[in-house]
Amino acid sequence: MTPAVREGEHRTLPLPLGLFLALVAGSAMPLQGRINGALGEELGSGIGAAVVSFGVGLLVLTVVILVLPVGRRGLREMPGHVRAGRFPWWYMLAGAFGAFFVLSQGLVVTFLGVALFTVANVAGQIGSGLLVDRIGFGPGGPRPVSTARLVGALLALAGVVWVVWPTLAERGVAFAVVGPMLMPLVAGLLMGFQQAMNGVQTRHYGNPLPATFFNFLIGTIALVATYLVMLPFAGPAGDLPSVWWMYIGGPLGIVFIAAGAVLVRLLGVLVVSLGLIAGQLLGSLAIDALAPVPGSTVSATTVLGTLVALVAVVIAAAPRSGLKFR
């Protein structure tokens, strides 16, 4: 019988390295958003672009799984883990949560604007990070809501609001947009549980490849089903572009999901969520500085808000919150 946890798997990670990896993984998301946005414009379909992005990621993971022995071993051992009750079978459906996030982008970002969408989604991520850690749903067991963790969470949310405040002030928050904001809020809440479910699977597989593969498999199936349902109303997507870089959104998503699956056990869902959020702000800042689109600017507000989010991650991940050091 396969052991519940592999020998030698109980490892610790230096705090600076763990936070650095979370920041790097998070910084891939704005680039993915920019690429998928360009692909959506080329196809004339946001959901079509999401299907292509997930599909390319699934293709890459399928090749990697088949080539690497650890990937094939994880797939072979999956039924045994489920039969032994090491994690419920529905943990492998975590990819549906990622598909819901992508779907929410396609449905409400145009109406809400990026600023309102971001604030609602980040609030959901922070809330689920605190909840998932508190109840011990993730692979690292229960983590109490200490003062440092709560302050870090609130400070991270304040940093994000600070970054998007100029847009919020211009856009306003009328009663009519409160309803649509629930979708990105729920998507953010689900992301915390998705990371925890992936982390539990990774703990037993011994590597993040199988969990990441199932995320892309289930996410692709969910998005294809959504595309087919909406096809009579929205019409088909356009022809696939010949520009190669429009197809790397999926591989960037692999980095995001795999890193989260590994780090949640060592850092906790809340700290990983905050690290990914800060990484997204850093990535957005870098993209606006190096490859700006019309109307984008790098202001002092953006820089200071990003720094506040980085400080929040350090506060929440302080040694007194239970993180082990090598």
Side-chain angles (χ1 to χ4, degrees):
M1 179 181 294
T2 303
V5 181
R6 298 185 186 282
E7 287 296 325
E9 184 194 325
H10 185 69
R11 303 184 181 99
T12 56
L13 188 72
L15 176 61
L17 178 58
L19 295 182
F20 174 76
L21 293 175
L23 291 173
V24 170
S27 66
M29 294 309 291
L31 182 57
Q32 183 194 43
R34 177 73 68 87
I35 291 170
N36 286 346
L39 179 60
E41 290 182 3
E42 188 74 17
L43 296 176
S45 170
I47 296 180
V51 170
V52 172
S53 179
F54 264 71
V56 171
L58 177 61
L59 178 61
V60 170
L61 280 168
T62 300
V63 173
V64 173
I65 285 281
L66 292 176
V67 170
L68 296 181
V70 292
R72 298 195 302 271
R73 183 184 65 200
L75 291 184
R76 288 196 305 268
E77 294 177 351
M78 179 271 292
H81 290 311
V82 174
R83 285 195 300 269
R86 296 180 185 124
F87 56 82
W89 65 267
W90 49 267
Y91 272 36
M92 293 182 294
L93 303 180
F97 296 161
F100 182 78
F101 170 73
V102 173
L103 183 61
S104 68
Q105 284 180 314
L107 292 178
V108 302
V109 162
T110 302
F111 176 74
L112 289 178
V114 175
L116 287 176
F117 181 93
T118 300
V119 169
N121 185 253
V122 167
Q125 289 184 57
I126 292 173
S128 66
L130 288 168
L131 174 63
V132 168
D133 279 349
R134 177 65 182 85
I135 64 179
F137 188 79
R143 297 172 187 260
V145 182
S146 64
T147 301
R149 292 165 65 80
L150 183 59
V151 169
L154 295 176
L155 197 59
L157 180 59
V160 173
V161 172
W162 195 354
V163 169
V164 301
W165 182 253
T167 306
L168 286 176
E170 179 181 350
R171 175 73 166 82
V173 185
F175 180 77
V177 305
V178 173
M181 286 180 69
L182 291 176
M183 193 169 191
L185 177 67
V186 171
L189 288 170
L190 293 176
M191 287 175 71
F193 287 91
Q194 179 189 18
Q195 290 174 357
M197 292 157 70
N198 289 338
V200 170
Q201 293 180 71
T202 297
R203 176 176 179 239
H204 294 289
Y205 291 134
N207 70 87
L209 284 177
T212 307
F213 171 79
F214 283 116
N215 268 251
F216 274 82
L217 176 62
I218 298 302
T220 300
I221 293 173
L223 287 169
V224 168
T226 303
Y227 176 79
L228 293 176
V229 168
M230 298 188 66
L231 188 59
F233 309 99
D239 296 333
L240 293 173
S242 58
V243 183
W244 66 269
W245 56 262
M246 288 190 179
Y247 298 97
I248 64 174
L252 289 173
I254 292 174
V255 174
F256 184 86
I257 294 175
V262 172
L263 293 173
V264 289
R265 186 184 175 208
L266 303 170
L267 303 180
V269 176
L270 174 64
V271 174
V272 170
S273 296
L274 296 184
L276 295 174
I277 290 167
Q280 291 176 54
L281 294 178
L282 282 173
S284 298
L285 189 63
I287 290 173
D288 286 342
L290 300 175
V293 296
S296 65
T297 58
V298 177
S299 65
T301 298
T302 303
V303 175
L304 292 175
T306 302
L307 291 176
V308 168
L310 289 172
V311 171
V313 177
V314 175
I315 291 175
R320 59 181 174 275
S321 65
L323 184 65
K324 296 180 180 179
F325 292 90
R326 194 182 284 271

